[in-house]
Amino acid sequence: MLELKQVNKSFGGIRAVSDCSLEIKSYRITGLIGPNGSGKTTLFNLMTGFLPLDHGEIFFKGKRIDGFLPHQIAEFGIVRTFQLARIFPKMTVLENMLLAPPRQIGEKLVSLWLKGKRIREEERKNLKKALTLIEIVGLSHLKNQFAANLSYGQQKLLELVRILMAEPQMILLDEPTAGINPSLIRKMMELILKMRDAGKVFFIIEHNMDVVIELCDWVFVLDNGQKIAEGKPEAIQNDPRVIEAYLGV
Amino acid sequence: MDLFLHLCIMILIYIIFALSLNLELGYTGLFNFGHVAFFGMGAYASALFTLHHVPFELALLISLAIAGGGGFLLSLPSLRLRGDYFGIATLGFGEIIRIIFQNEVWLTKGPMGLPGISKPTLFSYRFTTLPQYFILALVFSILSFFILRMVIRSPFGRVLRAIREDEIATEALGKNVFRFRVKSFVTGSILAGLAGALWGHYTTFISPSDFTLSETILVLLIVVLGGKGTEWGPVLGAILLIFFQESLRFLRLPAEYTRYLAPLQQMIFGTLLILLMIFRPEGILREKGKTKNVGIETGQ
Ligand SMILES: Nc1ncnc2c1ncn2[C@@H]1O[C@H](COP(=O)(O)OP(=O)(O)OP(=O)(O)O)[C@@H](O)[C@H]1O
Ligand SMILES: [Mg+2]
């Protein structure tokens, strides 16, 4: 589904990602682990067009996507969350959700004059979907609150369900469970599994190994910007190279 | 009565001007410090065309197109800049336009200004008297208010607010941030042009000194005082500040004091802006958590 070939990125003297090649297959959840500063977030930024590549190529469903702008890559169907949740603080929870669907008729200035009825229908349809999703993560009672009034964990949940509104094919999550209490983590994992069963492909950066083992079908390990191992999560856990990278022995 | 009507007309014109800035500043988060340029372009274009015997309806349309086109041309380079640099670029643009008004004497008669601008005729109805002009200004401001309200409450307006809140997250959701900003900026410029045209035909005399930075500051203050990013904020701000400004002008002061009026007003406006920023940065009206969506009930 998504393929990285010899991807490189340096910041000044730091080689954040070096010669990284990996392939993410459809219909599964792939994990990305590695010590702090190993280049995981940078890799996401490269894949979603937020940073330009120094070298290398990225393909999505056979089409080359490096060099495109972030909104174009989102249009292709790759949507991401951020390590520090990015919500729209002075918009309500519902407005945060309703923003996400792509190519809305009402986003065109001319259609406001000509297609009022279709815009209202579209809004109603999106609203229904949004209400269902925020119900799942338990934010219904906050739907008309500014997102700024949510706790950090709730903001991360909002960010997660918001990208589900964006009709993505592939979802990149940067540490979705960081800062979230265990009962909400459960809820979040259930939601991710449900979306996987609905055909979404996930690529997840995660430090919590329990979550990785339970969710992921395949794991890549990054250290110093290089892929040092890949495999099934149970196997990865006992890989000596991984243990070395994490413990620094 | 005449004084009252004059006050109302000025307020209505500035409501349009402030509404247009509110779209950019309040909803899109664009700090436009050269907004007066588009007000001036509207005023000069409409004045010049009618002075050359182009019918008012057509002259008005052309001047809106010129203001919008100017906004489009400025937006292409400047909207690629980040926040503060965008502000500086627009500030510079405002000055450039004023200097063009001042120096292109063949076109604008330079610092002498353009006297004798005709009162408008719309569909062969002439708006000459104060009550007539009041009606004209009222119709245009109500129109502007409702058009902008429709825009802001639409999914388009929602994207604008999202850009103001977090440009990166908006981009990550597949919205072309640059294009939305351009559209917002051009719409704001067109409306500012409308306000300028109405103002020119009302005062019947315009000169480059009417379009200085202090005009931009006045309209900024109106938006910030009233409450940026609210539907009624610019209306309230325009009523308060234009009432204050115009009543200062008509104070019967002894002649030796009148020369202090203009600097005094600037000082008061400056102080007001600082106090606002410290004590109530969100303005008199503030954004509410509940916002209506286009014609749908969000309650259950
Ligand atoms: N925009 C940037 N400018 C300069 N250096 C950067 C930038 N982004 C990342 N880096 C550097 O690149 C390296 C990799 O950072 P990155 O954020 O990708 O790590 P990470 O694997 O996501 O770490 P963590 O688990 O802590 O989130 C770090 O050394 C970091 O300092
Ligand atoms: Mg990271």
Side-chain angles (χ1 to χ4, degrees):
Chain A
M1 184 120 177
L2 189 88
E3 201 181 350
L4 279 72
K5 283 186 183 161
Q6 302 281 313
V7 170
N8 279 277
K9 181 73 194 176
S10 308
F11 298 106
I14 305 169
R15 291 196 76 174
V17 173
S18 67
D19 279 335
C20 198
S21 298
L22 43 92
E23 194 187 339
I24 294 147
K25 304 233 168 68
S26 318
Y27 301 111
R28 55 158 119 198
I29 301 176
T30 310
L32 180 62
I33 63 171
N36 293 121
S38 56
K40 305 182 294 297
T41 299
T42 305
L43 204 62
F44 266 27
N45 286 335
L46 295 170
M47 286 159 50
T48 49
F50 281 94
L51 285 173
L53 277 70
D54 292 345
H55 284 293
E57 298 170 326
I58 301 177
F59 295 89
F60 179 59
K61 300 205 292 189
K63 182 184 183 324
R64 191 154 172 196
I65 59 163
D66 55 278
F68 282 94
L69 294 166
H71 72 262
Q72 294 172 314
I73 291 177
E75 282 269 302
F76 297 154
I78 306 177
V79 184
R80 68 174 294 183
T81 62
F82 294 86
Q83 188 162 351
L84 291 171
R86 293 191 100 111
I87 42 96
F88 306 111
K90 276 171 99 185
M91 291 171 73
T92 66
V93 168
L94 265 182
E95 285 175 324
N96 266 270
M97 298 292 285
L98 290 173
L99 180 89
R103 295 174 295 276
Q104 297 181 39
I105 310 166
E107 286 175 359
K108 287 216 153 48
L109 267 179
V110 275
S111 349
L112 299 186
W113 302 91
L114 308 172
K115 300 178 183 160
K117 194 158 162 259
R118 279 180 60 196
I119 295 174
R120 276 191 295 277
E121 277 166 18
E122 183 182 50
E123 284 283 288
R124 213 168 286 135
K125 187 191 83 198
N126 290 338
L127 180 67
K128 223 170 127 191
K129 191 171 168 194
L131 287 171
T132 322
L133 279 169
I134 58 174
E135 175 80 54
I136 294 176
V137 289
L139 294 175
S140 292
H141 60 296
L142 300 167
K143 63 177 188 267
N144 289 324
Q145 289 281 329
F146 274 158
N149 299 342
L150 269 54
S151 77
Y152 182 70
Q154 288 171 327
Q155 292 183 2
K156 286 218 82 141
L157 287 171
L158 174 60
E159 197 191 26
L160 177 68
V161 285
R162 190 178 66 192
I163 58 168
L164 298 181
M165 293 288 293
E167 296 166 21
Q169 299 170 39
M170 179 161 186
I171 299 170
L172 311 185
L173 305 177
D174 198 341
E175 301 192 19
T177 67
I180 296 203
N181 89 43
S183 70
L184 280 180
I185 291 183
R186 239 333 69 237
K187 237 180 207 172
M188 189 181 258
M189 290 190 350
E190 278 159 19
L191 185 60
I192 291 172
L193 288 171
K194 211 163 117 190
M195 296 314 298
R196 178 200 62 185
D197 295 341
K200 308 280 183 209
V201 181
F202 283 88
F203 192 29
I204 305 180
I205 296 177
E206 186 55 65
H207 283 300
N208 183 336
M209 277 315 279
D210 295 338
V211 174
V212 173
I213 288 170
E214 186 167 340
L215 282 184
C216 297
D217 308 292
W218 199 257
V219 178
F220 293 103
V221 187
L222 222 55
D223 186 30
N224 274 322
Q226 281 175 314
K227 183 181 82 181
I228 56 166
E230 66 177 291
K232 296 219 172 288
E234 302 80 11
I236 284 295
Q237 223 187 357
N238 303 317
D239 188 309
R241 284 167 302 177
V242 178
I243 295 168
E244 190 190 312
Y246 266 92
L247 300 177
V249 216
Chain B
M1 189 61 195
D2 279 0
L3 189 58
F4 177 72
L5 276 177
H6 164 74
L7 201 61
C8 288
I9 292 170
M10 288 300 282
I11 287 173
L12 288 169
I13 291 173
Y14 271 87
I15 284 176
I16 301 177
F17 195 17
L19 284 170
S20 69
L21 182 65
N22 191 35
L23 178 69
E24 300 175 17
L25 174 76
Y27 290 102
T28 324
L30 295 173
F31 282 81
N32 181 353
F33 292 123
H35 203 45
V36 68
F38 305 103
F39 186 78
M41 285 160 87
Y44 262 96
S46 187
L48 283 170
F49 278 105
T50 50
L51 282 173
H52 288 87
H53 309 295
V54 174
F56 175 73
E57 298 91 335
L58 189 59
L60 183 67
L61 280 181
I62 297 173
S63 55
L64 297 192
I66 288 177
F72 181 69
L73 288 181
L74 171 63
S75 71
L76 291 186
S78 66
L79 279 175
R80 297 191 188 278
L81 305 171
R82 309 241 155 241
D84 358 357
Y85 297 101
F86 171 78
I88 294 168
T90 53
L91 185 72
F93 183 77
E95 278 303 285
I96 290 171
I97 292 298
R98 188 181 60 81
I99 290 168
I100 289 177
F101 292 156
Q102 193 164 310
N103 292 349
E104 298 304 313
V105 180
W106 60 275
L107 182 67
T108 64
K109 296 210 187 128
M112 306 282 291
L114 291 173
I117 304 168
S118 61
K119 292 282 185 193
T121 311
L122 259 184
F123 309 114
S124 65
Y125 186 85
R126 276 176 71 81
F127 295 87
T128 26
T129 64
L130 276 177
Q132 284 170 337
Y133 211 95
F134 171 73
I135 303 280
L136 183 75
L138 186 68
V139 168
F140 273 114
S141 56
I142 290 178
L143 226 79
S144 309
F145 180 85
F146 282 103
I147 289 175
L148 275 184
R149 192 166 82 159
M150 176 184 79
V151 168
I152 284 152
R153 289 185 178 183
S154 73
F156 175 84
R158 193 164 54 210
V159 179
L160 296 189
R161 280 186 296 135
I163 292 171
R164 175 195 71 190
E165 295 294 299
D166 190 329
E167 138 184 24
I168 289 177
T170 315
E171 184 85 20
L173 286 170
K175 316 291 177 197
N176 188 340
V177 168
F178 178 72
R179 185 173 291 176
F180 277 99
R181 279 185 172 151
V182 169
K183 286 182 182 173
S184 163
F185 194 77
V186 170
T187 311
S189 303
I190 291 174
L191 273 179
L194 172 65
L198 287 175
W199 185 77
H201 287 281
Y202 176 62
T203 60
T204 69
F205 171 75
I206 57 174
S207 73
S209 59
D210 296 325
F211 308 105
T212 56
L213 179 60
S214 59
E215 270 310 285
T216 299
I217 293 177
L218 174 64
V219 70
L220 265 172
L221 193 55
I222 289 175
V223 173
V224 175
L225 174 77
K228 62 179 181 338
T230 64
E231 286 170 4
W232 287 97
V235 178
L236 182 65
I239 294 173
L240 292 177
L241 282 180
I242 298 303
F243 179 80
F244 172 74
Q245 188 189 38
E246 294 297 304
S247 44
L248 266 190
R249 191 176 304 196
F250 289 100
L251 268 186
R252 291 216 182 75
L253 282 181
E256 63 264 38
Y257 292 126
T258 48
R259 66 194 170 100
Y260 296 121
L261 268 186
L264 183 70
Q265 181 189 319
Q266 302 265 341
M267 275 170 58
I268 293 175
F269 283 173
T271 318
L272 191 60
L273 193 55
I274 293 172
L275 290 177
L276 260 180
M277 286 300 132
I278 297 173
F279 293 109
R280 202 174 164 97
E282 69 274 33
I284 297 176
L285 304 175
R286 62 173 95 202
E287 280 181 80
K288 291 187 293 284
K290 273 187 188 163
T291 317
K292 289 198 191 76
N293 293 92
V294 270
I296 49 164
E297 271 305 314
T298 50
Q300 278 173 329

